Amino acid sequence: MNFEMPNFALAMPEMFVLGMACLILLVDLFLNERSRVVTYLLSQATLVGAFILTLSLYTPVRELTFSGTFVLDPMASVLKMAVYAVVFVMFLYTRSYLQARQMFTGEFYTLALFGVLGMMVMISAHSFLTLYLGLELLSLSMYAMVALQRDNRVASEAAMKYFLLGAMASAMLLYGMSMLYGVTGSLDLGEISRAIDEGEIERMLLVFGLVFMLVGVAFKLGAVPFHMWVPDVYHGAPTAVTQFISTAPKIAAFALLIRLLVDGLGGLQSEWHDILVLLAILSISVGNIIAIAQTNIKRMLAYSGIAHAGFLILGVLSGTAEGYAAGMFYVIVYAVMGLAGFGMVLLMSRAGFEADSLEDYKGLNQRNPWFALMVLFIMFSMAGVPPFIGFWAKLAVLQAVVASGLIWLAVLAVIFSVIGAFYYLRVIKLMYFDAPADEARIEPGRELAAVFSGNALVILAMGLFPGALMAICIQAFAL
Amino acid sequence: MFADLPLLSLLIWVPIIGGLLVMLAGSGRTGLEAKVLALLVSLLTFALSIPLFTGFDTGTAAMQFTEFKPWIAAFGINYHLGVDGISMPLIVLTTFTTVLVVIAGWEVIKNKPAQYMAAFLIMEGLMIGVFSALDAMLFYVFWEAMLIPMFIVIGIWGGANRVYATIKFFLYTFLGSVFMLVALLWLYGQADSFAILDFHALPISATAQIWIFLAFLVAFAVKVPMWPVHTWLPDAHVQAPTGGSVILAAIMLKLGAYGFLRFSLPITPDASQTLDWLMIGLSLIAVAYIGFVALVQRDMKKLIAYSSISHMGFVTLGFFIPWAIAANTGSFSGAGLGISGGMVQMISHGFVSAAMFLAVGVMYDRMHSREINDYGGVVHVMPKFAGFMVLFAMANAGLPGTAGFVGEFMVILAAFQANFWIAFVAASTLILGAAYTLWMVKRVIYGEIRNQKVAALKDINPREFLILGVLAFMVILLGVWPAPLLEVMDVTVQQLVEHISVSKVPAGAM
């Protein structure tokens, strides 16, 4: 048996993040409360470093290493960079929130960085083994982060729910994987794809495995009917953690979907197509309709996230490169909007007060017109009204759906997005048309105010010039 | 001198950027700086639109003042602007009306005047964008974005039931336009381009045309609004502040009608022919039935809102009469009359409805009531105002010599070439319109003073006199000398008629 030296260079960013995360874990032990900011700065530096490394490794081709279990292609590079950027901004957002709640600890940052590492492995996985490895690393970090406030009962409950349901979903995924391993004899996505294309395997068995795996993936994406955990966890977790869970991991979940369904089970497209149609319709309808009934803004955003997951699936199910590109564009845009959405909650909160009720937004235009305008941008963007970026994301997805001939599906999706527009409008109504119920001055730190405004303005700017990001996404699937 | 300037871009972006500046300038309590800035911006925009009118070449149907820049290469979406004889008058109408709206809101708007002015300026830029976009996606972006400032305007400065009205307004129009979006995406798949002119040239099978036509119909019919999707309009109008009503009636309703001319007719002529009975039927219902509904209104703004729907029925009737004429006479020679008549009606309704809403606004500012029964005998205390009001009411009723007459007359004339009964029902508006408008005038302006508050009214101030005077001038000018307007649109309309008289169904396909 000859041992081939793997090309370590392709996994440089992963190794760098791993090393830095361990280093930060160590360094943090020797820091006292006042110098904790070093941990924060080191974490940010890690993300910047990883970004630079990934950017320098960018190649327009597809390269495999570690005996074919690790892949670096344009999609992986772009998604990883998106993850770093999103987590970087999330760290910027959450610093003052964490400081005000005694959560500004090394655990938060190291867990987040291990989560990032898990996402990177998932995004670059080319075998069931690495895929699962990355997924579990991410999930375990997130369970722990939700429970970071040990004495908070709601958070502990959310963490417990998340863990139990997540473990079940992982088990489903594993079960599906084991079935496919059983019939194809390989864990390697390329090998599995070849085995399916040869057409000698009983299709029934393959579909059986596929269904179990899809359950696991749908859970991670938060698609209906595997969405039950989303509102509870988003609501129960500290807002800073919610902001993390709702953004970057969605990007990784998109990668999981593409790796499994396209790279591995592309031969079963006619089978997974119908399942995805069902998941998409259910997510868009249930998410948008139940969101209307919410009075808590974190729960409302959770249901809105479910509806957005449906749109993302809509892009993937068309089974074309332009559809995958549209899905990728959607997930990145969603992450940017999700950051802003939960950023708004962080902005309005202050020590000892969580602004997570819709009532807290009443009369914001009277209290602070600038922030009200920024929230208006975010809400209209999420509703998919031009000129904001959310519109282009929906457009790209709908274009792919129409191009694949499913016009009825596109019509259904737009009808539900009109229904969904209602609850976004209600937030604007509360801000602009109602008198304020809470006269306390809104005094976010200058850093938080700047990040939030920047984020909202980016939503507008990207809406006016969406071409560059779209081109990047299309290029990622142009292989 | 103006030839080198990107006039249309300036017309779009000067008010939008100006509006943002106004918003930033509005921190003062009275907002005087903001108001002055808003007035300057609106005057500048109006000034910029004059070379558009004077420099317009009436001899060609091709797009003029065109600008082209690639915008989103991945989808072939371009920043492509241009105007023809259909869109140019509407742009000038928009810039003109916005100046009036800014002046009209000068003293009346006490709550956040800067945001009020800014919203109207931004809306102006977006509406000009809709009229000048030659790329379907660019059109759609402007079309939808326009809802945002209007939503805010009705919601903040509206009447008691404003929140209900504004959410209804937004959701109705949003629902209408998403169907158009799907149709545009389908057309993109066929034409591999979002250029509206490419859509015009694209052959489409008869069945597909019907579907596309219906998708466009939902979007445009809600905006016009046509019966039975008109119910948002009275709510929105009654609750909107005066400026909002003026923009809504004078410009926003025209967007739907413009959509028919720019999209429905040229992209799906065969479906328009197949379904012209539907369009004519809906238009006649709007003209006659809504006319009766207007008769029983007690709220002046509601009455004018319903009369707007009725007048817009003429516009759509004029647009869809050509096939009925062709079926009756065997040629499209009279078709241009109907379409031109619809266009003239759009412009004249822009002036007349703006004038009517401003006149009601003048009374509302003093009395804080729109109920007809609260008034009576206004002429005794406000003689100058009463003169204007009567003139505008005559125009609204379609009296010859006023703007309201020309368009209605042309459309009725065209309808006679198609079918006597269509013309008969359409002509009933001459009686109905006179009935509801003049009856309102009788109850509000004339008679004895029955309300003590009316007795205390003061006549219009110079600011109001200026606004109403300019509008009165335009209403009469357009009524006695519509030739310049007709000349501007003539070639474009002729070309449109030629275009729609040829089937777009590919040979051998059905």
Side-chain angles (χ1 to χ4, degrees), chain A residues 365 386 399 407 433 464 466 470, chain B residues 71-72 75 115 144 155 186 188:
Chain A
N365 188 37
Q399 202 272 326
I407 295 174
F433 310 157
L464 295 177
M470 255 183 206
Chain B
W71 183 24
I72 303 169
F75 280 107
Q115 287 188 1
E144 287 283 279
W186 188 86
Y188 169 69

Side-chain angles (χ1 to χ4, degrees), chain A residues 27-354:
Chain A
V27 168
D28 186 67
L29 289 177
F30 299 98
L31 292 173
N32 59 18
E33 271 315 307
R34 251 173 296 141
S35 48
R36 189 74 69 202
V37 73
V38 175
T39 309
Y40 166 77
L41 291 175
L42 274 175
S43 308
Q44 293 292 49
T46 308
L47 292 170
V48 173
F51 192 95
I52 294 167
L53 280 173
T54 308
L55 189 63
S56 63
L57 281 173
Y58 183 88
T59 53
V61 294
R62 191 185 173 92
E63 289 185 74
L64 291 171
T65 182
F66 295 111
S67 318
T69 58
F70 187 96
V71 62
L72 189 72
D73 54 7
M75 180 189 96
S77 297
V78 174
L79 288 181
K80 279 182 207 169
M81 286 189 276
V83 166
Y84 309 141
V86 166
V87 176
F88 183 86
V89 175
M90 187 276 285
F91 281 165
L92 287 179
Y93 261 120
T94 53
R95 184 156 77 130
S96 56
Y97 179 93
L98 296 173
Q99 278 168 336
R101 284 163 187 74
Q102 282 78 49
M103 285 168 68
F104 190 60
T105 55
E107 288 90 332
F108 181 84
Y109 291 99
T110 36
L111 282 171
L113 284 180
F114 277 116
V116 169
L117 180 62
M119 289 185 241
M120 294 162 74
V121 173
M122 261 167 95
I123 290 169
S124 268
H126 198 250
S127 132
F128 282 160
L129 205 62
T130 32
L131 211 53
Y132 189 73
L133 202 67
L135 181 66
E136 281 307 286
L137 185 55
L138 169 64
S139 302
L140 288 172
S141 308
M142 288 199 296
Y143 303 146
M145 283 173 85
V146 174
L148 213 52
Q149 272 182 319
R150 252 188 327 190
D151 303 330
N152 185 334
R153 282 179 50 198
V154 187
S156 307
E157 185 192 324
M160 203 61 191
K161 268 186 194 156
Y162 192 20
F163 175 70
L164 288 176
L165 289 172
M168 200 132 90
S170 295
M172 293 272 191
L173 187 69
L174 264 189
Y175 188 47
M177 285 177 175
S178 69
M179 269 181 179
L180 280 169
Y181 177 62
V183 291
T184 60
S186 173
L187 289 171
D188 183 276
L189 291 175
E191 294 285 326
I192 292 168
S193 173
R194 259 190 300 284
I196 292 172
D197 287 342
E198 279 165 14
E200 286 170 8
I201 304 166
E202 174 76 45
R203 210 124 176 113
M204 191 64 183
L205 289 170
L206 288 171
V207 173
F208 222 74
L210 166 75
V211 170
F212 277 103
M213 291 203 313
L214 267 179
V215 171
V217 178
F219 176 87
K220 297 295 168 197
L221 272 173
V224 179
F226 310 103
H227 66 290
M228 300 300 186
W229 62 277
V230 179
D232 288 340
V233 173
Y234 281 25
H235 179 199
T239 309
V241 177
T242 310
Q243 197 186 29
F244 177 68
I245 295 179
S246 64
T247 50
K250 299 284 177 210
I251 298 177
F254 169 77
L256 177 70
L257 197 65
I258 294 289
R259 292 287 180 229
L260 277 180
L261 295 187
V262 182
D263 291 357
L265 303 176
L268 295 178
Q269 203 224 327
S270 53
E271 276 82 8
W272 54 253
H273 174 267
D274 294 350
I275 305 176
L276 289 190
V277 168
L278 198 68
L279 284 176
I281 294 177
L282 283 175
S283 303
I284 294 174
S285 57
V286 170
N288 274 328
I289 290 172
I290 300 187
I292 293 175
Q294 302 307 314
T295 52
N296 180 297
I297 195 145
K298 281 162 84 179
R299 291 187 88 86
M300 190 197 95
L301 288 173
Y303 281 105
S304 127
I306 293 168
H308 283 298
F311 265 95
L312 187 164
I313 294 174
L314 220 47
V316 175
L317 67 83
S318 64
T320 55
E322 62 179 342
Y324 305 146
M328 182 166 162
F329 184 68
Y330 201 97
V331 77
I332 294 174
V333 167
Y334 172 68
V336 174
M337 295 193 300
L339 277 176
F342 288 101
M344 158 181 106
V345 182
L346 293 171
L347 181 89
M348 299 282 290
S349 302
R350 52 184 182 265
F353 174 70
E354 297 283 327

Side-chain angles (χ1 to χ4, degrees), chain A residues 365 376 380 385-388 391-392 395 398-399 402 407 411 414 418 421 425 428-429 432-433 464 466 470 474, chain B residues 71-72 74-75 77 112 115 140-141 144-145 148 151-152 155-156 162-163 166 170 174 179 181 185-186 188:
Chain A
N365 188 37
L376 177 121
F380 275 120
V385 177
F388 303 105
F391 165 71
W392 297 107
L395 179 80
L398 288 174
Q399 202 272 326
V402 170
I407 295 174
V411 170
V414 295
V418 172
L425 289 182
I428 296 168
K429 173 225 159 208
Y432 276 88
F433 310 157
L464 295 177
M470 255 183 206
I474 288 172
Chain B
W71 183 24
I72 303 169
F75 280 107
I77 300 172
K112 297 196 177 297
Q115 287 188 1
Y140 189 82
V141 167
E144 287 283 279
I148 300 174
F151 176 75
I152 300 288
I156 299 188
R162 59 206 158 94
V163 173
T166 197
F170 190 96
F174 192 37
F179 289 102
L181 179 66
L185 287 174
W186 188 86
Y188 169 69

Side-chain angles (χ1 to χ4, degrees), chain A residues 439-462:
Chain A
E439 290 294 346
R441 282 177 59 90
I442 305 163
E443 285 174 327
R446 210 174 298 157
E447 184 185 344
L448 181 54
V451 176
F452 178 69
S453 307
N455 193 347
L457 291 175
V458 161
I459 286 175
L460 175 64
M462 282 169 76

